[in-house]
Amino acid sequence: MRFISGDKKAILEQLHSATSADTQVETEASVKAIIEDVKANGDAALFRLTEQFDGVRLTDFRVAQSLLDNALDHVEADFIKALEQAKVNILSYHQKQKQSGFVDTEKHGVMRGQLVRPLETAGIYVPGGTAAYPSSVLMNILPAKIAGVPRVIMVTPPGKDGLNPYILAAAKIAGADEVYQIGGAQAIAALAFGTESIPKVDKIVGPGNIFVALAKREVFGIVDIDMIAGPSEVVVVADATANPRFVAADLLSQAEHDTLARAILITTSAAFGQAVASEVEKQLQTLPREKIARASIANFGQVIVAESVEIAFDIMNEIAPEHLEIQLENPMDYLSYVKNAGSVFLGAYASEPLGDYFAGPNHVLPTSGTARFFSPLGVADFCKRTSFISYTKDALAKEKDAIVLLAEKEGLTAHARAIEIRFEEDDEDENS
Amino acid sequence: MRFISGDKKAILEQLHSATSADTQVETEASVKAIIEDVKANGDAALFRLTEQFDGVRLTDFRVAQSLLDNALDHVEADFIKALEQAKVNILSYHQKQKQSGFVDTEKHGVMRGQLVRPLETAGIYVPGGTAAYPSSVLMNILPAKIAGVPRVIMVTPPGKDGLNPYILAAAKIAGADEVYQIGGAQAIAALAFGTESIPKVDKIVGPGNIFVALAKREVFGIVDIDMIAGPSEVVVVADATANPRFVAADLLSQAEHDTLARAILITTSAAFGQAVASEVEKQLQTLPREKIARASIANFGQVIVAESVEIAFDIMNEIAPEHLEIQLENPMDYLSYVKNAGSVFLGAYASEPLGDYFAGPNHVLPTSGTARFFSPLGVADFCKRTSFISYTKDALAKEKDAIVLLAEKEGLTAHARAIEIRFEEDDEDENS
């Protein structure tokens, strides 16, 4: 792990210089070509691209309803039980995010309000292959279901040996309405534009590789998307009261995701930082995914020694991490210090994997510093708002002159006329 | 106006064929070049591009605080009064959108919750020139202020004769913290990346021309943006009880915005449709912006005759208009028929310009059918959510086996280890 210390300014400068540049240009061009292909050729393009990229020749993308209905028959009972338990926690947390609209009738003759309604269709992308995560199926589908989306469509790349049974079981438990075997940029294009067999959706969510991420960005505006996801990261803010073994294990749970994952410890104690670094090395040697985790730790692992807890939080807020663990003596005292973070884990036992699988808050979180402005996936992502107003003639009469004046200042005479014309009949009546 | 009638299927087919294709490719390349220029060269690029595009040579982008503070001295008192009245309505409506976080302590030893916090900086783009709308300044800045954004930065293109005094007065009334004279794609790039003199922001909102719209799309992910705005549209659903003069005036208030604006009447009465079309022609002749409005009506004006009110709403939902007026005998009965619309105006006196300037709901609305998934600009756009959890050891113990099982099914051993390690010390203690 790379050690960084010094005053706040020096640490921030080193942090910024460590941020990696991305090389997306070539991929961008092929993603655009795939999208145009699917838009122009529909299913024919999808069959061809699926054979090309997934090495599978399909005759139908739709997973038979009977396969989905019987998905639980093909996985272990303890897995189903664990996933059902997770579902209970995810549902009870996300229920609290539900918003209702409002009506305001404070002024005579005026009604103003806001409707909150579910999207009509949502497309959930679920990665395949070695990165197949049943937990992500729950985290993406359940908020859509709570929002009330009537048609939740899951897509996932076809495997050479058929679909991953755990993914299909999770889709069943989460309540996916339809499942299609299709992946990559071509899946995103199909959901955005629709094809003969894939329905066009209102919003596409879910993680994916660089092709998927760039395709989502490309179709943004034609449909909505959740967020632009980058490599995952964790920041642990810890003092010498924390357990270095716990902290090291949590850093490694991040590092095993991806060689680009970032695991960062910010501590006020250099000695504690050393202890964690030793533990990281020790625990690394026992991990099946040692190679990935070791590369992540070597390239992006950092121990930052801050001069005070306040500075530690300033640095953390600058990083704006996806996951933040606060392993300080009185963790709750520091929640108010958090400005930018996707999800916060407070205290020694709120280990990050608890949030990944079980506690209930969503594990789809803003990455790469976007917690400055993006939020965890939630029920609001599957809703849209509509405002409404109703005015009586008397209520409009009271505000008419101001509206006409503002419209005329903006040079929009037809706007002014639309208000005035509603009072002209009276004048005519009076004159008749 | 173009008349469309027939059964629902025939109408929808004709509607879809009328949708215009856009030609963005060339503009996209120059927008990318501008963004790269500003990212690489900062203020130097901004000064150069401002001279090139706005024809103004500046030495400083920042509008002096004294100019902003004294902005009300340079506009008429009745304008200030009208804008202040509008502000009261906008504030009282948007206050109702404020969300608070929550804490859930339903399970022993478990705390789960959600924080809702304002963004730290917001960038508000305000167009200049003939399309300078003080009302838009209020509609964009006030929700950010209600959200609690401490630093609201407004940018607007420099004019050859200095800044538009009405725009500056609106900025003062709305409470802009800083104002910079800078426009176009270069302004968006400056706000996204920051330059020597322009601060980097968390989110960019506000309308603009095609350069601004494409630049916002391009920087999405580096910062957040509000939405991808296209030409404006109104759908009026009316029956024979409506006043054709009112309806025509409302259609024209939309048409005068832009030659690409769409004004659509959906009615159950062909005779009423004819009456509105005649009124549109009659009123057109009296408008100062006749040329723009006439082009919009000729190209995109439509009278759709539907076989029933239900079908009228089905067609409306398919269009998903920015503005929807319901001028039916009992308008309130039909709010439940609205699935996709930005803002709904109910009854004969809720004319669209009332919403543009005054009633309180935001006039920044999803356009071009994006009301299927985008929402009016609101307080939520200037907030971010953060989830948090805290577990005691006992609480974690109850869920530990399920978490470990799920992590292992996903092949993420370090995730499982991070949970298990927290219980190993006990075993060691017991064995010692």
Side-chain angles (χ1 to χ4, degrees):
Chain A
M1 296 187 88
R2 182 168 163 225
F3 274 71
I4 302 180
S5 59
D7 65 6
K8 182 172 145 187
K9 190 160 165 279
I11 290 173
L12 287 178
E13 271 165 15
Q14 289 186 71
L15 265 185
H16 288 307
S17 71
T19 305
S20 68
D22 43 13
T23 50
Q24 301 185 344
V25 183
E26 327 81 88
T27 325
E28 219 174 280
S30 37
V31 164
K32 280 193 187 190
I34 292 168
I35 291 173
E36 286 308 314
D37 191 1
V38 173
K39 193 176 163 187
N41 304 308
D43 278 355
L46 287 184
F47 283 119
R48 180 168 25 81
L49 293 164
T50 299
E51 191 169 353
Q52 181 183 337
F53 291 112
D54 301 301
V56 180
R57 186 175 284 181
L58 296 175
T59 51
D60 189 4
F61 299 110
R62 178 85 185 260
V63 173
Q65 194 60 39
S66 59
L67 265 178
L68 182 59
D69 286 342
N70 302 323
L72 301 191
D73 301 346
H74 306 287
V75 295
E76 301 82 353
D78 59 352
F79 170 79
I80 295 170
K81 199 181 151 202
L83 219 52
E84 290 281 7
Q85 274 180 272
K87 177 182 170 181
V88 167
N89 290 348
I90 296 168
L91 285 178
S92 63
Y93 181 86
H94 286 80
Q95 285 287 4
K96 298 204 182 292
Q97 294 184 326
K98 263 202 103 160
Q99 287 171 57
S100 39
F102 61 80
V103 181
D104 163 8
T105 55
E106 278 162 32
K107 250 193 293 191
H108 279 173
V110 174
M111 191 181 77
R112 309 185 300 177
Q114 180 172 280
L115 307 175
V116 179
R117 299 172 58 70
L119 303 183
E120 293 179 81
T121 47
I124 314 290
Y125 188 90
V126 175
T130 54
Y133 298 140
S135 57
S136 283
V137 175
L138 263 56
M139 291 291 185
N140 280 281
I141 292 181
L142 292 174
K145 283 288 158 189
I146 292 177
V149 177
R151 198 173 176 196
V152 176
I153 288 152
M154 184 178 119
V155 297
T156 189
K160 283 179 184 151
D161 315 314
L163 281 182
N164 180 318
Y166 297 103
I167 291 292
L168 210 56
K172 174 67 185 166
I173 288 171
D177 295 292
E178 299 163 35
V179 179
Y180 295 86
Q181 294 186 71
I182 172 177
Q186 60 274 22
I188 303 301
L191 291 171
F193 297 102
T195 69
E196 298 88 330
S197 62
I198 312 290
K200 176 177 167 59
V201 301
D202 292 334
K203 183 162 186 166
I204 302 172
V205 306
N209 62 18
I210 183 74
F211 279 83
V212 171
L214 288 177
K216 280 167 68 181
R217 188 190 168 86
E218 199 62 39
V219 300
F220 174 59
I222 294 158
V223 294
D224 194 13
I225 63 170
D226 51 348
M227 57 184 96
I228 308 283
S232 195
E233 73 258 319
V234 68
V235 167
V236 181
V237 175
D239 59 20
T241 67
N243 184 323
R245 293 169 59 230
F246 296 3
V247 172
D250 292 353
L251 292 171
L252 287 172
S253 77
Q254 189 62 35
E256 78 167 337
H257 269 296
D258 186 348
T259 56
L260 295 175
R262 292 171 78 196
I264 300 172
L265 168 65
I266 309 179
T267 180
T268 45
S269 158
F272 180 79
Q274 287 292 356
V276 170
S278 309
E279 264 297 325
V280 163
E281 178 52 38
K282 195 171 136 198
Q283 293 182 24
L284 254 178
Q285 295 166 18
T286 70
L287 290 181
R289 291 167 74 94
E290 179 185 352
K291 209 170 152 186
I292 294 170
R294 190 175 285 283
S296 154
I297 292 291
N299 295 328
F300 301 104
Q302 292 174 337
V303 175
I304 297 173
V305 182
E307 289 173 337
S308 69
V309 174
E310 284 72 17
I311 291 175
F313 277 98
D314 286 347
I315 293 163
M316 182 285 295
N317 281 317
E318 192 77 20
I319 297 171
E322 184 187 10
H323 307 97
L324 166 65
E325 288 191 0
I326 302 182
Q327 300 212 24
L328 298 170
E329 200 174 359
N330 296 304
M332 229 53 92
D333 296 350
Y334 295 95
L335 192 53
S336 59
Y337 285 61
V338 179
K339 282 184 184 168
N340 305 321
S343 193
V344 186
F345 300 78
L346 296 153
Y349 292 93
S351 170
E352 198 241 82
L354 166 64
D356 285 347
Y357 292 106
F358 227 78
N362 212 286
H363 80 196
V364 181
L365 298 167
T367 56
S368 310
T370 60
R372 284 192 297 120
F373 45 80
F374 286 149
S375 300
L377 190 70
V379 175
D381 286 291
F382 297 98
C383 296
K384 59 198 173 194
R385 291 172 275 119
T386 297
S387 55
F388 61 90
I389 57 172
S390 166
Y391 266 59
T392 61
K393 188 173 184 182
D394 284 349
L396 185 62
K398 285 183 198 142
E399 303 192 332
K400 130 177 126 61
D401 292 345
I403 300 170
V404 168
L405 186 141
L406 290 174
E408 281 173 350
K409 281 288 185 243
E410 294 189 353
L412 296 177
T413 314
H415 282 62
R417 294 283 301 137
I419 302 299
E420 288 168 330
I421 206 167
R422 285 167 158 84
F423 297 91
E424 280 172 11
E425 277 179 322
D426 289 351
D427 304 343
E428 282 165 22
D429 290 348
E430 281 160 26
N431 294 342
S432 67
Chain B
M1 297 186 87
R2 181 168 162 225
F3 274 72
I4 302 179
S5 59
D7 65 6
K8 184 173 142 187
K9 190 161 166 279
I11 291 173
L12 287 177
E13 271 165 15
Q14 289 186 71
L15 265 183
H16 288 308
S17 71
T19 306
S20 67
D22 44 12
T23 51
Q24 302 186 343
V25 184
E26 327 81 87
T27 324
E28 218 175 280
S30 37
V31 164
K32 279 192 185 189
I34 291 169
I35 292 172
E36 286 308 314
D37 190 1
V38 172
K39 193 176 164 186
N41 303 309
D43 279 355
L46 287 184
F47 284 118
R48 178 166 29 79
L49 292 164
T50 299
E51 191 168 355
Q52 182 183 334
F53 290 112
D54 302 301
V56 180
R57 187 175 284 182
L58 296 175
T59 52
D60 189 5
F61 298 110
R62 177 85 185 259
V63 173
Q65 193 60 41
S66 59
L67 264 179
L68 183 58
D69 286 342
N70 302 322
L72 301 192
D73 301 346
H74 305 287
V75 295
E76 301 82 351
D78 59 352
F79 170 80
I80 296 171
K81 198 180 151 205
L83 219 52
E84 290 282 7
Q85 275 180 272
K87 178 182 170 180
V88 167
N89 290 349
I90 297 167
L91 285 178
S92 63
Y93 180 85
H94 285 79
Q95 286 286 5
K96 298 203 183 290
Q97 292 184 325
K98 264 201 104 161
Q99 286 171 57
S100 40
F102 61 80
V103 181
D104 163 9
T105 56
E106 279 162 32
K107 250 194 292 193
H108 280 174
V110 175
M111 193 181 77
R112 310 184 299 177
Q114 178 170 281
L115 307 174
V116 179
R117 298 172 57 68
L119 303 183
E120 292 179 80
T121 48
I124 314 288
Y125 188 91
V126 175
T130 52
Y133 299 140
S135 57
S136 282
V137 175
L138 263 58
M139 291 291 185
N140 280 281
I141 292 180
L142 291 175
K145 283 287 159 192
I146 291 177
V149 177
R151 198 171 177 198
V152 175
I153 288 153
M154 185 177 116
V155 298
T156 189
K160 283 181 184 150
D161 315 314
L163 280 184
N164 180 319
Y166 297 103
I167 291 292
L168 211 56
K172 174 67 185 164
I173 288 171
D177 295 292
E178 299 163 36
V179 179
Y180 295 87
Q181 294 187 72
I182 173 178
Q186 60 273 22
I188 303 301
L191 290 171
F193 296 101
T195 70
E196 298 88 329
S197 62
I198 311 290
K200 177 177 166 60
V201 301
D202 292 333
K203 182 161 186 168
I204 303 173
V205 305
N209 61 20
I210 183 75
F211 279 84
V212 171
L214 288 178
K216 280 167 66 181
R217 188 189 168 86
E218 200 62 38
V219 300
F220 174 59
I222 294 157
V223 294
D224 194 13
I225 64 171
D226 50 349
M227 57 184 97
I228 309 281
S232 194
E233 72 258 320
V234 68
V235 167
V236 182
V237 175
D239 59 20
T241 67
N243 184 324
R245 292 168 61 228
F246 297 2
V247 172
D250 293 353
L251 292 172
L252 287 171
S253 77
Q254 189 61 36
E256 77 168 337
H257 269 297
D258 186 345
T259 55
L260 295 175
R262 289 171 81 197
I264 300 172
L265 167 65
I266 310 179
T267 180
T268 45
S269 157
F272 179 80
Q274 288 292 356
V276 170
S278 308
E279 264 297 325
V280 163
E281 178 53 38
K282 194 172 140 198
Q283 293 182 25
L284 255 178
Q285 295 168 18
T286 69
L287 289 182
R289 291 169 74 94
E290 179 186 351
K291 208 170 152 188
I292 294 170
R294 191 175 284 285
S296 154
I297 292 290
N299 295 327
F300 301 105
Q302 291 173 338
V303 175
I304 297 173
V305 183
E307 289 173 338
S308 70
V309 175
E310 283 72 17
I311 291 176
F313 277 98
D314 286 346
I315 294 162
M316 183 285 295
N317 281 317
E318 192 77 19
I319 298 171
E322 183 187 12
H323 308 96
L324 166 65
E325 289 190 0
I326 302 181
Q327 300 212 23
L328 298 170
E329 199 172 2
N330 296 304
M332 229 55 90
D333 295 350
Y334 295 95
L335 192 54
S336 59
Y337 286 60
V338 179
K339 283 185 182 168
N340 305 321
S343 192
V344 186
F345 300 78
L346 296 154
Y349 293 93
S351 171
E352 198 241 80
L354 164 66
D356 284 346
Y357 292 107
F358 227 77
N362 212 287
H363 79 197
V364 181
L365 298 167
T367 57
S368 310
T370 60
R372 283 192 298 122
F373 44 80
F374 286 150
S375 299
L377 190 70
V379 174
D381 286 292
F382 298 98
C383 295
K384 60 198 171 195
R385 290 172 275 119
T386 297
S387 55
F388 60 91
I389 58 172
S390 167
Y391 265 60
T392 60
K393 189 174 182 182
D394 284 349
L396 184 63
K398 284 182 198 143
E399 303 192 333
K400 130 175 128 57
D401 293 345
I403 301 170
V404 168
L405 186 140
L406 290 174
E408 282 174 352
K409 280 290 184 241
E410 294 190 353
L412 297 176
T413 314
H415 282 62
R417 294 283 301 138
I419 301 299
E420 288 168 329
I421 205 166
R422 286 168 155 86
F423 297 91
E424 279 170 13
E425 277 178 321
D426 289 351
D427 303 343
E428 282 164 23
D429 290 350
E430 281 161 25
N431 294 342
S432 66

